[in-house]
Amino acid sequence: MNKLAAMITKRIVFGVLTLFAISLLIFVGVEALPGDLAEAILGQNATPETIQAFRTELKLDLPAHERYFAWINAFVHGDLGKSLANGRPIAEVIGWRFANSLLLAGATALFAIPLAIILGLLAAIYRDSWFDKCISMVTLSAISLPEFFVAYILIALLSVQIFLFPSISNINDQMSVFQKMHAIFLPCLTLAFVVVGHMMRMTRAAIINVLSSPFIEMAKLKGIGRKRIIVKHALPNALSPIINVVVLNLAYLVVGVVVVEVVFVYPGLGQLLVDAVSKRDLPVVQASGLIFAATYVFLNLTADVLSMLSNPKLRNPR
Amino acid sequence: MFTLIQQAPLSAKIGMVIILLNLLTILLAPQMAPYGETELVGDVWAPMSSEHMLGTDQLGRDMLTRVVYGARNTISIALTIVFLSFVVGCSCGLLAATMGGWVDQTIGRLVDIIMAFPTLIFALMVLSVMGTSIPTLIGVIAILDSTRVFRVSRAVAMDIEVMDFVEVARLRGEGLWWIMRNEILPNALPPLIAEFGLRFCFVFLFISSLSFLGLGIQPPTADWGSMVRENAGAISFGIYSPMYPAAAIAILTIGVNLVVDWMLNRSSLLRT
């Protein structure tokens, strides 16, 4: 048990270090801006006075390491600074949008994960049948398609041809849960289409991999039915890679929302990040980039820890 | 070579035809396109007709022409990126595998950190700082992508590095560069070629997504991703002009994936 705990601690320490390195990278990246940040952003309006004022406002007159620690310290305490574009506190803007992004990713995960595992199981049970081949063709193309293509096909079918769902997913706090679900149905479906393909292929591969082990041969020789073998004998042993791929896809979802949010004009963090990048609103880019990266690192960490916990070989050290 | 292609399954043949057609389009774009790349030729979002086979776009440019030129711009940029990332990734990977020790450790940890960062977010941050231009775009994506190439090429080279013929070359007193180029690289080629296809799909989708977000290749250059973005408004009027460039992206990636799938299957069959 000690060995496992040590492994997990090591992984968590590595995760924290990665986060630190990423925050440093984000910070240094902005430092490395060719020329002066103030001049670059003000552009045509750069006069000595405005540049000076801008530098004091962004605290650019302090040395770099002091600014880094001040930035991280404020970040941890929830103060994300002010947007350059409209001067509003970033925390206000981001909080609501981040919740919206999580809602979108969460709602997708809620029906995509069970669906992917069931499809993967079925494909493994009826391996090499027409059902398996159809599913494998559909999922291969799902992985190959750009998200916006899937999104526009869905809009064309379900929003333009038959008006079932809105093509613009605007949500606000006054809406009931049902109204929100209706509004985000199309973006969820788009995201699900992409992640289900990936998760389902991995589930199928994991189960087929386990099926070649000797204890499955034994179960077959005992005369147990194929479905029972897969559900009772193979699935528990394939759980570790399946959990891993599920959490990795959650991490993908959190980042994958960016493109989908832009297609459906959804008020999420991804949309904000893209806007901020095109306006070169650096404090907003830094803050939302760090939040995205932190979520991603955290989910990757969870995936590794869970797969360590669910792997019986690591639980009982020799 | 010819019999090899003949033996390929139908799906791989379809893939090859798709890739070939795209390559032809790149080479013959000016001959194939009925109009000029940025020429205004008709109404905004005109429907399909004999003059405009796919209708016109949001400014009244011929859609078919734009799609044809788009192939040239988008695919050639994606190819440049993949080549660059293979040069960087493979040389680092082979170097790490042959030298081992601190070189391997340093590059490995650096790659770990870059890979812990979601690629799209990383690219967006760099673009916000450096501004969007084609050289920046190529550089950023090539470096991000070379981390995956590094992982694969290092893993492949590690398997080869322990073989006897490498040992013999070492004892013969061959230099590091010679061993990498003449002993390891030729034996690592088959899996790397399949990886090239996968990386191409990834980069191609990635750059299309960036252009779609308005942060990639800038107008008026015809490019599939930004064409989808520019025409996106049409979809709510029931006009399908954003679908053509999007479909072009989808068809090419599916084609490459089909061929890669076949190559991966073949190499795993050969091994067992």
Side-chain angles (χ1 to χ4, degrees):
Chain A
M1 205 58 204
N2 271 338
K3 198 180 160 199
L4 183 68
M7 272 181 76
I8 292 178
T9 323
K10 201 175 151 196
R11 183 64 187 83
I12 292 175
V13 169
F14 182 72
V16 173
L17 278 180
T18 318
L19 212 54
F20 175 71
I22 285 175
S23 71
L24 207 61
L25 212 63
I26 292 178
F27 185 77
V28 172
V30 176
E31 289 296 301
L33 189 74
D36 189 80
L37 177 68
E39 270 175 51
I41 288 177
L42 290 173
Q44 291 283 316
N45 302 325
T47 63
E49 291 83 42
T50 53
I51 288 179
Q52 193 52 48
F54 191 80
R55 291 179 69 92
T56 351
E57 197 196 321
L58 282 189
K59 301 194 179 69
L60 284 179
D61 36 6
L62 294 177
H65 62 275
E66 268 180 42
R67 259 181 302 136
Y68 173 72
F69 286 112
W71 178 58
I72 284 294
N73 191 31
F75 199 96
V76 174
H77 289 93
D79 172 19
L80 310 185
K82 276 183 187 159
S83 156
L84 289 182
N86 48 24
R88 287 173 62 193
I90 298 172
E92 236 173 64
V93 188
I94 280 187
W96 179 65
R97 282 173 173 264
F98 187 48
N100 283 347
S101 285
L102 286 185
L103 173 73
L104 188 59
T108 310
L110 216 58
F111 73 91
I113 292 172
L115 182 69
I117 292 179
I118 291 171
L119 283 179
L121 269 178
L122 287 177
I125 292 176
Y126 301 108
R127 191 183 170 188
D128 291 333
S129 67
W130 61 268
F131 173 76
D132 182 27
K133 279 178 188 148
C134 275
I135 285 217
S136 122
M137 265 312 280
V138 171
T139 50
L140 182 70
S141 29
I143 297 171
S144 320
L145 298 180
E147 285 137 339
F148 50 81
F149 185 53
V150 178
Y152 284 125
I153 290 181
L154 288 176
I155 291 182
L157 288 179
L158 296 179
S159 178
V160 177
Q161 296 290 345
I162 337 162
F163 187 77
L164 279 179
F165 300 99
S167 65
I168 289 179
S169 315
N170 209 348
I171 68 166
N172 54 51
D173 290 336
Q174 274 84 51
M175 293 165 95
S176 69
V177 176
F178 179 76
Q179 279 173 320
K180 276 189 182 173
M181 285 297 138
H182 183 250
I184 65 172
F185 187 81
L186 284 185
C188 280
L189 205 59
T190 313
L191 281 171
F193 195 69
V194 180
V195 286
V196 164
H198 195 224
M199 284 195 281
M200 180 257 141
R201 282 171 85 91
M202 296 298 276
T203 309
R204 178 180 177 273
I207 289 180
I208 286 179
N209 197 16
V210 173
L211 281 183
S212 61
S213 25
F215 68 89
I216 297 289
E217 187 81 357
M218 182 66 209
K220 260 187 217 157
L221 291 177
K222 283 197 314 201
I224 301 175
R226 192 167 165 75
K227 274 178 207 167
R228 198 183 147 84
I229 289 181
I230 288 187
V231 176
K232 290 255 161 134
H233 295 242
L235 185 60
N237 288 288
L239 220 50
S240 164
I242 293 177
I243 291 177
N244 206 12
V245 79
V246 164
V247 185
L248 285 181
N249 271 287
L250 282 184
Y252 169 79
L253 266 182
V254 171
V255 180
V257 292
V258 176
V259 172
V260 174
E261 277 176 12
V262 171
V263 174
F264 291 97
V265 205
Y266 181 79
L269 191 56
Q271 169 92 287
L272 181 75
L273 176 62
V274 172
D275 276 354
V277 170
S278 49
K279 281 185 208 146
R280 304 188 80 182
D281 190 344
L282 290 174
V284 176
V285 175
Q286 281 184 324
S288 40
L290 192 53
I291 291 180
F292 267 128
T295 321
Y296 188 78
V297 169
F298 173 74
L299 284 172
N300 272 328
L301 181 72
T302 321
D304 282 359
V305 170
L306 279 181
S307 73
M308 281 177 199
L309 285 176
S310 60
N311 188 344
K313 277 181 203 151
L314 291 174
R315 262 199 310 254
N316 305 311
R318 255 171 268 167
Chain B
M1 185 69 193
F2 188 69
T3 47
L4 190 76
I5 292 174
Q6 266 190 333
Q7 283 165 1
L10 181 68
S11 61
K13 277 182 192 153
I14 297 175
M16 284 183 228
V17 170
I18 293 173
I19 296 173
L20 215 63
L21 282 179
N22 271 289
L23 288 178
L24 273 180
T25 316
I26 295 174
L27 291 175
L28 302 174
Q31 282 75 36
M32 283 169 78
Y35 303 94
E37 184 180 349
T38 52
E39 196 182 338
L40 299 177
V41 288
D43 281 344
V44 171
W45 286 328
M48 290 185 187
S49 60
S50 51
E51 291 120 73
H52 308 295
M53 297 228 299
L54 295 179
T56 57
D57 72 355
Q58 90 285 4
L59 295 178
R61 293 169 294 195
D62 182 54
M63 200 68 197
L64 180 65
T65 311
R66 300 282 289 169
V67 173
V68 166
Y69 275 101
R72 189 175 239 198
N73 299 325
T74 318
I75 299 174
S76 56
I77 288 181
L79 274 179
T80 318
I81 294 174
V82 185
F83 268 119
L84 213 64
S85 89
F86 261 77
V87 170
V88 176
C90 278
S91 35
C92 286
L94 294 189
L95 201 68
T98 3
M99 286 187 68
W102 66 270
V103 179
D104 188 19
Q105 285 296 320
T106 320
I107 308 180
R109 291 296 84 76
L110 204 69
V111 165
D112 279 348
I113 290 177
I114 297 182
M115 282 180 81
F117 207 145
T119 327
L120 183 62
I121 307 296
F122 198 116
L124 286 180
M125 309 221 44
V126 177
L127 290 177
S128 74
V129 172
M130 310 271 285
T132 340
S133 67
I134 289 180
T136 324
L137 216 57
I138 292 178
V140 172
I141 305 178
I143 288 175
L144 285 179
D145 203 53
S146 66
T147 56
R148 327 259 147 170
V149 181
F150 167 79
R151 283 269 174 97
V152 174
S153 59
R154 178 177 172 275
V156 175
M158 284 298 240
D159 286 345
I160 300 167
E161 201 257 340
V162 292
M163 300 263 186
D164 288 341
F165 56 83
V166 179
E167 192 64 39
V168 170
R170 282 226 170 95
L171 292 175
R172 209 158 60 214
E174 302 289 0
L176 178 72
W177 175 242
W178 198 92
I179 292 179
M180 271 165 60
R181 207 191 48 184
N182 291 324
E183 303 288 347
I184 295 182
L185 189 61
N187 292 295
L189 267 186
L192 285 181
I193 292 174
E195 185 63 18
F196 190 88
L198 284 181
R199 288 337 303 164
F200 174 78
C201 284
F202 180 83
V203 165
F204 183 63
L205 284 181
F206 191 71
I207 196 153
S208 306
S209 301
L210 275 182
S211 299
F212 172 74
L213 295 175
L215 303 166
I217 302 158
Q218 299 295 321
T221 312
D223 156 70
W224 288 347
S226 29
M227 283 163 70
V228 179
R229 169 194 177 79
E230 288 162 1
N231 289 290
I235 196 100
S236 28
F237 306 119
I239 301 165
Y240 296 125
S241 51
M243 304 298 259
Y244 309 125
I249 296 170
I251 291 171
L252 179 58
T253 23
I254 291 179
V256 177
N257 262 332
L258 287 175
V259 175
V260 169
D261 236 31
W262 165 64
M263 280 160 75
L264 286 177
N265 262 332
R266 226 176 65 86
S267 63
S268 68
L269 283 182
L270 283 182
R271 220 168 283 151
T272 48

